[in-house]
Amino acid sequence: MKHHLEHDTSKPVLELKDVTVKFGAETILDNISFSVKKGERIAVVGPNGAGKSTLFKTITGTIRPGSGNIFVYGDKPLAHICIGYVPQSSMIDWNFPVTVYDVVMMGRTGRIGLFKRPSGQDKGVVFYALGIVKMAEFADRQIGMLSGGQRQRVFLARAIAQDAGLLLMDEPLAGLDAASQQDIYRIIEYLSEEKGVTILVSTHNLNAAGKNFPKIILLNKKVIVIGSGKEVMNKKYLLSTFGGHLAVIGSDNGIVAVNDTCCSHGEER
């Protein structure tokens, strides 16, 4: 069990300094450096194979960088229980016999202890979290019986129950219809603006990132640029990120609109 560290609020919530990750001879992340402030809502945008998933796993501490350092409130990531992580849907066994309630209660494990029983307060936190994402009526339902949008709402509830200060979501909108995507965007906005949660969401959807996130990181093994949608969505930066897999089809108020369906298939790394 991790110890609950007091956060040094004089430090950035998240800071990466010259982080490089290699798998064998292949460089997956190359000299990544950036910092994130409390409550920021950031889209990490890049094609499949750009290293988005590896970046998130490295931030959580499940992958160790070959060089460089990562700090959460000035300490190593594994020292914290405040980091919430939602992996890609394809990485989760949806047939595992757990209910919605069980999944959200897993968010309390770091605070309860692995073999201790949850208290009434813990149960109250779980139902409070389910209420925020409008999933309380599904508490007894097996997780695999839910729709894709409902599953993502459950994992957001788990992060709320965990009291996560830093939330990483890996392609959470993949395969969701427009209405489900908007539900997720509303919850993410609520968490960042009302609860002060710092949120990084990986996506290949450039247009949605520009509309729904105040800040964007364009990533393709290296950080290409960091800024607002208007600042980063231009042909120069996008070609550096996507290369020949980019089709510019127009612009609106300086933000480039693209056809990025070429980047929506295949497995992320």
Side-chain angles (χ1 to χ4, degrees), residues 40-88:
E40 285 196 292
R41 190 167 74 252
I42 300 173
V44 180
V45 181
N48 287 327
K52 301 190 297 292
S53 294
T54 299
L55 174 66
F56 283 6
K57 291 174 184 177
T58 305
I59 291 171
T60 64
T62 56
I63 291 177
R64 295 186 63 179
S67 61
N69 292 287
I70 300 173
F71 301 100
V72 175
Y73 286 107
D75 290 295
K76 295 294 185 180
L78 287 175
H80 289 271
I81 62 171
C82 66
I83 304 173
Y85 173 56
V86 180
Q88 291 184 40

Side-chain angles (χ1 to χ4, degrees), residues 213-259:
F213 292 87
K215 183 180 284 189
I216 294 170
I217 298 174
L218 291 185
L219 179 75
N220 194 345
K221 301 191 177 183
K222 297 181 179 181
V223 171
I224 306 301
V225 66
I226 301 175
S228 68
K230 188 171 183 178
E231 290 169 334
V232 310
M233 295 298 214
N234 67 64
K235 192 170 184 179
K236 173 186 173 183
Y237 294 135
L238 296 178
L239 285 172
S240 295
T241 305
F242 291 95
H245 298 290
L246 177 72
V248 179
I249 59 176
S251 64
D252 181 19
N253 295 325
I255 297 179
V256 175
V258 300
N259 179 353

Side-chain angles (χ1 to χ4, degrees), residues 164-184:
L166 173 62
L167 176 59
L168 311 171
M169 303 185 72
D170 195 358
E171 294 280 1
L173 306 171
L176 303 189
D177 60 31
S180 296
Q181 290 187 24
Q182 287 307 310
D183 286 341
I184 301 303

Side-chain angles (χ1 to χ4, degrees), residues 193-213:
E193 295 188 359
E194 301 297 327
K195 298 295 185 180
V197 180
T198 304
I199 302 174
L200 276 69
V201 173
S202 75
T203 180
H204 63 268
N205 192 323
L206 292 158
N207 296 322
K211 292 175 182 177
N212 293 284
F213 292 87

